[in-house]
Amino acid sequence: SSELTQDPAVSVALGQTIRITCQGDNVRKFHANWYQQKPGQAPVVVIYGTTTRPSGIPDRFSGSSSGDTASLTISGTQAEDEADYYCESRAISDDHPVFGGGTTLTVL
Amino acid sequence: QVQLQESGPGLVKPSETLSLTCAVSGGSVTDNYWSWLRQSPGKGLEWLGHIYYSGSSGDTHYKPSLKSRVLISIDGAKNQFSLKLSSLTAADTAIYYCARLNVETAVLTADLNWFDPWGPGTLVTVSS
């Protein structure tokens, strides 16, 4: 089982704001990263270091963390944001990378 | 910018060893860490291991549960790195990705580590 827990699926109306969460004690100690994966494609990082947005990623994507929960917020969600989102951090036991189970985002 | 491309067999028999290669363009494998990850059909992402170029060999880290079966190597001359996974079973059927592991040392917080970019992935099926 994953040390990082994500809701399997969430939905949001077009243009609205959605928060996708990732829960685990890992994120109290380590940074969280977020990856977007569309069908048939490789994952793409949309947030790294908990809050940093890579160049080329729209500013509607933002990251935050509080306690044992890291969050990815998409403001003004667009149809093209429909994808699977995975959080990633470090395992407490051995500092190795570990992924959450992923959240499927549906844009209504 | 850096681009990665996986290559290797799409079908491997149970008990055999999988060999995959990741060709790096637009950058040098002598810089940064380089990783292998996989995604089983319809499932989530799994880190397998990573390597840092260190002279003629490399400094490697593996997922503990796979450590006895995984070997990652790096070839500075060919600008590529490779994965060998032995004693294959059907459970190893997956899309295998290579990726660069970026590392930023932080002073007041934990170091930043993230995978970017990724190769497009290659599907490996383990079946007789």
Side-chain angles (χ1 to χ4, degrees):
Chain A
S1 63
S2 173
E3 297 180 37
L4 297 172
T5 301
Q6 297 183 241
D7 291 328
V10 296
S11 60
V12 61
L14 185 67
Q16 296 303 301
T17 296
I18 184 71
R19 177 180 293 181
I20 299 171
T21 61
C22 174
Q23 185 176 23
D25 284 336
N26 319 54
V27 300
R28 294 183 185 274
K29 181 178 180 181
F30 301 107
H31 286 290
N33 307 312
W34 291 94
Y35 301 88
Q36 177 193 70
Q37 186 179 35
K38 297 181 179 179
Q41 298 182 20
V44 173
V45 63
V46 294
I47 294 290
Y48 69 90
T50 304
T51 60
T52 302
R53 189 177 58 250
S55 60
I57 301 300
D59 60 6
R60 62 179 179 271
F61 289 88
S62 64
S64 62
S65 183
S66 178
D68 69 349
T69 301
S71 300
L72 172 69
T73 300
I74 309 174
S75 305
T77 307
Q78 302 300 301
E80 62 263 32
D81 299 333
E82 188 163 281
D84 291 332
Y85 291 86
Y86 293 91
C87 65
E88 180 246 325
S89 187
R90 292 277 160 151
I92 292 177
S93 57
D94 57 19
D95 196 21
H96 287 149
V98 61
F99 288 87
T103 298
T104 297
L105 173 65
T106 299
V107 181
L108 304 172
Chain B
Q1 76 270 22
V2 173
Q3 292 184 311
L4 292 81
Q5 180 66 57
E6 305 90 349
S7 62
L11 179 64
V12 191
K13 289 182 169 54
S15 80
E16 292 189 343
T17 295
L18 169 67
S19 294
L20 296 175
T21 296
C22 182
V24 178
S25 59
S28 173
V29 293
T30 59
D31 301 326
N32 291 294
Y33 291 81
W34 304 93
S35 309
W36 285 99
L37 307 96
R38 69 182 180 182
Q39 185 172 32
S40 301
K43 299 281 182 66
L45 296 162
E46 179 182 24
W47 168 80
L48 304 180
H50 60 251
I51 189 167
Y52 184 82
Y53 184 84
S54 177
S56 59
S57 58
D59 176 29
T60 53
H61 297 262
Y62 300 123
K63 181 172 183 173
S65 61
L66 295 173
K67 192 172 183 178
S68 64
R69 299 199 292 132
V70 175
L71 178 67
I72 297 176
S73 59
I74 195 163
D75 188 331
K78 293 183 178 180
N79 213 37
Q80 64 187 33
F81 61 104
S82 301
L83 169 75
K84 289 187 186 299
L85 182 63
S86 62
S87 304
L88 294 172
T89 70
D92 295 310
T93 293
I95 298 173
Y96 285 75
Y97 295 100
C98 58
R100 183 178 64 187
L101 174 61
N102 299 276
V103 178
E104 279 189 12
T105 302
V107 175
L108 299 179
T109 68
D111 290 350
L112 280 66
N113 306 271
W114 72 101
F115 298 105
D116 179 63
W118 298 57
T122 185
L123 174 62
V124 175
T125 301
V126 180
S127 176
S128 55

